[in-house]
């Protein structure tokens, strides 16, 4: 993946660490960053050596300080729709990514940056992280799924408060309202993200994938259909070597060695 301008990928055993690196603009999302982000997740989805992804912003000052306001300032109505749809498509691909995606957040996660964190499955923040959807202060609204995902995560009242006020909140409040799973010291945030990732990757990868899929499907379907999917996935897992291994290991009082088969 050496041909990308703004996205860097490192591998740490089964983890892929994806870094958005446009530090001179606080990692703001221009069209090229969004496109590269889409490409990188497509490639990592096909890479069987990757069991989880940690998404971060380069440097300590920002995760992502938003969509690129310079670019947005010249949009027309129709190009505005296109910009929003292009970002939504990439963020939705992250949300539907078949392996866990954890955002490791230092500094600003504002606007599109906050929306990007919301599209990830889990969020770990440094104590210096700052979250907010300041779009209304620019005369626009969140356009990368923020009006949809924030309320699901933190509840309607808090989502309305944050979206309509544009207020920026610190890591402590973000954790209190469930926006982030945990808060770490600035120099420990990536390590904590890796620890959280490995609590997941030690488990059966097909089970993890189907659990994620079942949870997200339930958001978009009725209860009966969602329960039906859960049962089918539950039954499907009975055909995997990983289920045999997981249960045998428990009965043998040893650690399971999952192969993703
Ligand atoms: N789009 C484009 N450029 C951005 C940006 C964004 N969302 N956020 C920061 N930048 C740029 C700044 O314009 C500046 O560029 P310059 O050095 O060429 O002037 C550079 O990044 C550094 O930012 P700066 O504002 O000087 O840093 P700061 O520490 O004073 O303030 C913020 C940091 C995050 C408070 C401030 O940059 C900010 O409010 N950014 C916009 C946040 C926002 O509204 N996001 C939602 C967009 S939809």
């Amino acid at each position: 993946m050496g041909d990308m301008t703004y996205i860097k990928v490192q591998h740490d055993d089964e983890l892929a660490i994806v870094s958005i690196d446009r530090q001179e603009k606080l990692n703001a999302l221009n069209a090229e960053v969004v496109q590269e982000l889409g490409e990188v997740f497509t490639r990592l989805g096909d890479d069987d050596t990757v069991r989880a992804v940690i998404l971060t912003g380069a440097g300590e000052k920002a995760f992502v300080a938003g969509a690129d306001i310079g670019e947005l300032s010249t949009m027309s109505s129709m190009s505005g729709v296109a910009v929003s749809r292009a970002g939504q498509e990439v963020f939705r691909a992250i949300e539907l990514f078949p392996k866990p995606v954890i955002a490791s957040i230092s500094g600003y996660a504002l606007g599109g940056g906050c929306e990007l964190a919301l599209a990830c499955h889990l969020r770990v923040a440094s104590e210096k992280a700052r979250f907010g959807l300041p779009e209304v202060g620019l005369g626009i609204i969140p356009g990368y799924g923020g009006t949809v995902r924030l309320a699901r995560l933190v509840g309607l009242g808090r989502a309305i408060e944050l979206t309509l006020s544009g207020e920026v909140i610190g890591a402590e409040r973000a954790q209190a309202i469930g926006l982030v799973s945990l808060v770490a010291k600035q120099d420990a945030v990536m390590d904590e993200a890796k620890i959280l990732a490995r609590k997941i990757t030690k488990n059966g990868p097909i089970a993890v994938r189907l659990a994620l899929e079942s949870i997200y499907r339930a958001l978009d379907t009725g209860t009966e259909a969602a329960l039906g999917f859960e049962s089918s996935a539950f039954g499907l897992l009975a055909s995997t070597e990983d289920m045999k291994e997981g249960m045998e290991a428990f009965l043998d009082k040893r650690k399971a060695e999952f192969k993703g088969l």
Side-chain angles (χ1 to χ4, degrees):
M1 299 192 200
D3 54 341
M4 298 213 169
T5 310
Y6 297 119
I7 308 283
K8 311 277 180 279
V9 181
Q10 285 172 280
H11 292 267
D12 182 347
D13 294 326
E14 82 284 23
L15 307 181
I17 292 130
V18 174
S19 178
I20 298 171
D21 191 351
R22 193 187 175 216
Q23 289 186 62
E24 72 285 2
K25 296 288 180 189
L26 303 186
N27 304 325
L29 302 172
N30 63 12
E32 207 177 337
V33 177
V34 172
Q35 191 198 331
E36 288 188 359
L37 208 47
E39 284 170 23
V40 91
F41 273 91
T42 301
R43 290 191 215 173
L44 293 174
D46 293 338
D47 184 340
D48 289 338
T49 66
V50 174
R51 292 269 175 98
V53 175
I54 296 176
L55 179 60
T56 194
E60 295 198 340
K61 199 169 167 192
F63 173 68
V64 166
D68 189 304
I69 299 171
E71 264 187 17
L72 293 182
S73 65
T74 61
M75 72 184 170
S76 64
S77 292
M78 289 317 289
S79 68
V81 173
V83 164
S84 169
R85 293 302 287 172
Q88 285 178 350
E89 204 174 294
V90 171
F91 286 21
R92 181 72 171 146
I94 294 172
E95 185 171 57
L96 296 179
F97 195 67
K99 315 168 202 194
V101 182
I102 299 174
S104 173
I105 302 157
S106 297
Y108 294 107
L110 301 179
C114 186
E115 294 175 284
L116 180 58
L118 289 169
C120 296
H121 304 130
L122 290 163
R123 288 144 293 278
V124 175
S126 102
E127 57 195 0
K128 293 191 179 147
R130 296 282 175 274
F131 297 85
L133 293 175
E135 283 90 342
V136 287
L138 298 166
I140 55 172
I141 65 169
Y144 292 163
T147 65
V148 177
R149 296 193 178 97
L150 185 61
R152 287 177 175 174
L153 193 62
V154 305
L156 196 57
R158 287 160 176 155
I160 290 174
E161 177 202 335
L162 291 173
T163 309
L164 269 51
S165 70
E167 189 196 349
V168 174
I169 61 170
E172 201 177 321
R173 174 137 199 254
Q175 187 178 29
I177 65 175
L179 183 50
V180 301
S181 294
L182 61 101
V183 177
K185 296 250 179 253
Q186 178 77 21
D187 58 2
V189 62
M190 180 52 75
D191 286 343
E192 289 295 338
K194 288 182 183 178
I195 289 168
L196 181 58
R198 291 197 162 110
K199 281 183 187 170
I200 299 171
T201 58
K202 72 175 176 26
N203 299 315
I206 308 174
V208 165
R209 175 184 183 155
L210 288 176
L212 257 185
E213 193 174 343
S214 197
I215 289 166
Y216 278 97
R217 270 179 187 258
L219 293 176
D220 294 324
T221 52
T223 303
E224 283 308 319
L227 290 172
F229 180 85
E230 186 189 69
S231 300
S232 301
F234 185 83
L236 185 66
L237 286 159
S239 69
T240 63
E241 287 181 26
D242 281 353
M243 187 196 90
K244 280 192 204 75
E245 167 62 12
M247 294 194 184
E248 274 174 24
F250 174 80
L251 296 172
D252 295 348
K253 300 189 189 307
R254 63 175 172 81
K255 198 167 153 285
E257 296 287 343
F258 293 112
K259 296 200 176 98
L261 296 171

